[in-house]
Amino acid sequence: MIRGVVDRRSYGDSCGVARALDAVGERWALLVVRELLFGPKRYADLSRGLPGMSQNVLSQRLRELEQEGIVRRRKLGPPASIRVYELTERGQALEPILCALARWGSRTVVDPTEELSVDALMLALKVTFDPTLAGDLRVGVELRFADDQFHAEIEAGRFQLARGSADHPDVVLDTDAAALRSVVFGGQPVTDVTGDRQAAARFVACFPRPTPFEG
């Protein structure tokens, strides 16, 4: 923690783990970071992605993350002219840590009816991708949600995913987080597909459901 900047309790331990938890160990902090991994968001979009988090707590966590140099605010230029939150270089450095936590956490049993944000689902795709299942698949996919969109690409056993539209996708999936989750991890058939349906089916089969821990 940056001493004298944030007025909250510290572990008072010089271990790197303790210092990391001083910065991002507060409840909801890492989930705010998760919602910003794929790009900037407005406050309202952050709130929508974290429906169980109160407005007061969200505002407080954003202030703390700003003071720690993990998140910053900026104004988008015309035509948007809106204020957004985004990760700094220090914040982006948390990505492999969040991916590791996501892999570990995905192996615990979860209620499939629990809500999952779009960004949380995108992180799940990122950490469960299996290149051996992809094989020789080469496909560009646009994932369209009501208020957001992502473009994904699989080529040479590598998976890339980013917020925004695709230039010339082979497949377009019009969906929502719950529907896509049921297809990818629940075995439901692919629907609402534009483009190569066979490639779409191969695409969603590249993300196996994690195996729960034993015992």
Side-chain angles (χ1 to χ4, degrees), residues 191-211:
T191 58
D192 297 322
V193 180
T194 302
D196 189 335
R197 300 184 71 87
Q198 183 177 1
R202 289 191 64 189
F203 172 79
V204 300
C206 292
F207 311 93
R209 177 182 290 182
T211 304

Side-chain angles (χ1 to χ4, degrees), residues 37-41 118-119 122 140-145 147-153 160-169 171-173:
L37 277 181
F38 295 102
K41 279 189 170 186
V118 170
D119 285 75
M122 295 301 98
V141 179
E142 183 168 289
L143 303 169
R144 293 179 181 171
F145 301 93
D147 301 304
D148 212 345
Q149 54 190 3
F150 288 76
H151 62 272
E153 183 176 311
Q160 295 183 319
L161 177 68
R163 177 172 275 112
S165 59
D167 290 334
H168 302 288
V171 176
V172 175
L173 296 178

Side-chain angles (χ1 to χ4, degrees), residues 179-195:
L180 185 59
R181 182 186 184 186
S182 69
V183 169
V184 175
F185 299 120
Q188 296 299 311
V190 183
T191 58
D192 297 322
V193 180
T194 302

Side-chain angles (χ1 to χ4, degrees), residues 11-32:
Y11 286 100
D13 188 325
S14 61
C15 166
V17 174
R19 284 183 286 156
L21 291 174
D22 279 345
V24 294
E26 294 287 344
R27 183 172 172 82
W28 295 104
L30 282 177
L31 295 187
V32 173

